[in-house]
Amino acid sequence: MKKIINNKDNIVDDMLSGYIKANSDRVKFSSVSKRIILRKQPKNTNKTAILIGNGSGHEPIAMGWVGEGLLDANVVGDIFAAPSGDLIFEGIEVFKENSGTILLISNHAGDVMNGEMAIELAKEDNIDADLLLMYDDIASAPKGDEDQRRGGAGTTFIYKILGALSETGENKETLLSLGKSVRDQTRTLSIAVASGVSPISGEKIFQLDDDEVFIGMGVHGESGYGRQKISSSKKIIKFMMDKIFDDFKYKSGDVVIPFINGSGATTLMELLIVYNDVENYLAKYKIKCFKPLINEYITTQESAGFSISLLNSTEQMRKLWISQSSAPYFHL
């Protein structure tokens, strides 16, 4: 393993310190914890706050997406580990004077357990906070069991669209309703090409032969559709898009927002080839693409691979998607 670090026990805190110093005009630490990243310019208290708790090792999400028009806070856990319920509650407490707070939680066991605990603590303290559970990975549960699916890269649509709408002063209930609608219109499927290495253990996160890919693997090596021999981008994309189309009923004239996310060591060259094949596939069904997001945003160290996320969008969603944000690492 080759990692440019200091003491492995301080990886997360060293990283966050560097991030805050590099972006001090836009983000800051909370006064109660250096594991809570906030916007430098706080949101007006008559607006609903949007925050997320997630483990480290997947940067730039979610610390890089704290900013006006996106997230108000990120509560940061250890490498590949959810932040504690108590720490998430401390993040929620920052916004106790706001008209409401929404905690976004990706559907992974530890995240859900600790997020639910934080919401319970908030309600005991008479803080108006709700949890929005996010899921979109079609390989993790069959059609009809969508609420059992993992959260994947498609959760990005919820972050951005809710963050933008919250800036307009919409109430919490309206935001939650739109968040659920975005979630229900999103599908994601991933492919792993090579494993990253845990910066803590020095071990590969999963094993793949040099001539293999794994369709549907989760960010930590969770199961999906299975292994197959590597082939051309067109063949891989057809396989993946066929799976997505089997899961969601698209129709001619739909407008989708695509997100092609690299896993950490996938080149922009590859991601753009993938996007070209995705758009060509959609064009055959007369489905239009709107302002795609293409780059490495949700990573697992230097894992190689990518995911395809599609949001079957409304005009309101598209308008909010392209609205401006000050988040340091979100660039359309």
Side-chain angles (χ1 to χ4, degrees):
M1 180 183 71
K2 295 180 181 179
K3 297 278 190 183
I4 309 302
I5 61 173
N6 296 309
N7 187 324
K8 68 180 182 180
D9 295 331
N10 297 331
I11 289 175
V12 175
D13 296 306
D14 285 351
M15 172 187 69
L16 294 178
S17 179
Y19 173 65
I20 295 297
K21 289 173 181 175
N23 299 283
S24 59
D25 58 329
R26 287 179 276 181
V27 290
K28 64 181 182 180
F29 286 123
S30 163
S31 61
V32 298
S33 173
K34 289 192 174 182
R35 288 297 187 93
I36 300 173
I37 308 299
L38 304 174
R39 288 168 36 166
K40 184 70 174 280
Q41 184 63 42
K43 179 181 280 179
N44 193 300
T45 55
N46 65 6
K47 298 178 180 179
T48 299
I50 311 290
L51 71 154
I52 181 173
N54 75 297
S56 301
H58 303 294
E59 294 73 32
I61 192 176
M63 65 179 192
W65 290 355
V66 173
E68 296 167 50
L70 224 155
L71 298 174
D72 296 298
N74 175 211
V75 183
V76 183
D78 289 329
I79 300 289
F80 306 152
S84 69
D86 288 333
L87 184 60
I88 297 173
F89 171 61
E90 288 181 6
I92 292 172
E93 271 194 311
V94 172
F95 304 101
K96 62 184 177 183
E97 301 300 326
N98 283 66
S99 62
T101 298
I102 296 175
L103 172 65
L104 302 175
I105 290 292
S106 191
N107 194 19
H108 300 270
D111 299 71
V112 174
M113 179 179 67
N114 293 345
E116 289 177 342
M117 174 185 168
I119 292 295
E120 288 178 13
L121 291 171
K123 293 190 181 301
E124 289 173 6
D125 210 27
N126 295 314
I127 298 173
D128 183 14
D130 282 290
L131 184 150
L132 178 60
L133 193 62
M134 305 181 295
Y135 44 81
D136 60 306
D137 182 355
I138 67 170
S140 56
K143 187 175 181 178
D145 290 328
E146 284 81 4
D147 62 353
Q148 302 301 308
R149 289 175 171 173
R150 296 184 295 254
T155 57
T156 301
F157 299 125
I158 297 176
Y159 303 148
K160 180 61 179 68
I161 289 169
L162 285 202
L165 185 60
S166 70
E167 296 290 359
T168 71
E170 279 287 1
N171 61 50
K172 179 163 61 68
E173 287 66 34
T174 300
L175 288 163
L176 287 168
S177 177
L178 180 60
K180 292 172 183 176
S181 179
V182 172
R183 180 185 67 195
D184 293 346
Q185 297 294 313
T186 299
R187 297 294 186 273
T188 293
L189 183 57
S190 65
I191 179 172
V193 176
S195 176
V197 175
S198 166
I200 302 298
S201 68
E203 301 294 327
K204 284 189 175 183
I205 299 165
F206 53 85
Q207 296 291 332
L208 268 178
D209 290 341
D210 289 344
D211 63 345
E212 284 185 330
V213 297
F214 196 109
I215 305 290
M217 182 181 285
V219 294
H220 302 126
E222 301 96 332
S223 64
Y225 291 129
R227 300 164 189 262
Q228 59 180 246
K229 297 298 182 183
I230 192 166
S231 58
S232 69
S233 174
K234 285 182 181 179
K235 289 181 180 179
I236 290 171
I237 297 312
K238 183 180 186 307
F239 181 90
M240 295 174 71
M241 293 294 286
D242 284 349
K243 289 285 189 184
I244 292 172
F245 269 56
D246 285 344
D247 194 87
F248 188 91
K249 188 174 182 180
Y250 298 94
K251 62 183 184 301
S252 175
D254 282 346
V255 181
V256 302
I257 302 174
F259 176 23
I260 309 302
N261 178 67
S263 303
T266 307
T267 65
L268 185 58
M269 175 195 297
E270 294 166 281
L271 295 178
L272 291 171
I273 291 170
V274 166
Y275 177 71
N276 183 58
D277 291 337
V278 167
E279 184 165 311
N280 287 340
Y281 182 101
L282 292 168
K284 290 191 299 183
Y285 294 91
K286 296 182 171 55
I287 295 171
K288 300 176 183 177
C289 293
F290 179 82
K291 200 58 177 175
L293 185 64
I294 307 167
N295 217 321
E296 296 197 311
Y297 286 103
I298 304 170
T299 68
T300 306
Q301 295 300 289
E302 64 278 14
S303 296
F306 63 89
S307 58
I308 300 169
S309 299
L310 300 179
L311 167 60
N312 196 33
S313 64
T314 64
E315 184 177 353
Q316 179 194 30
M317 293 173 188
R318 294 191 291 274
K319 181 178 179 181
L320 295 168
W321 176 247
I322 61 173
S323 66
Q324 289 206 334
S325 163
S326 70
Y329 282 94
F330 187 91
H331 305 292
L332 277 174

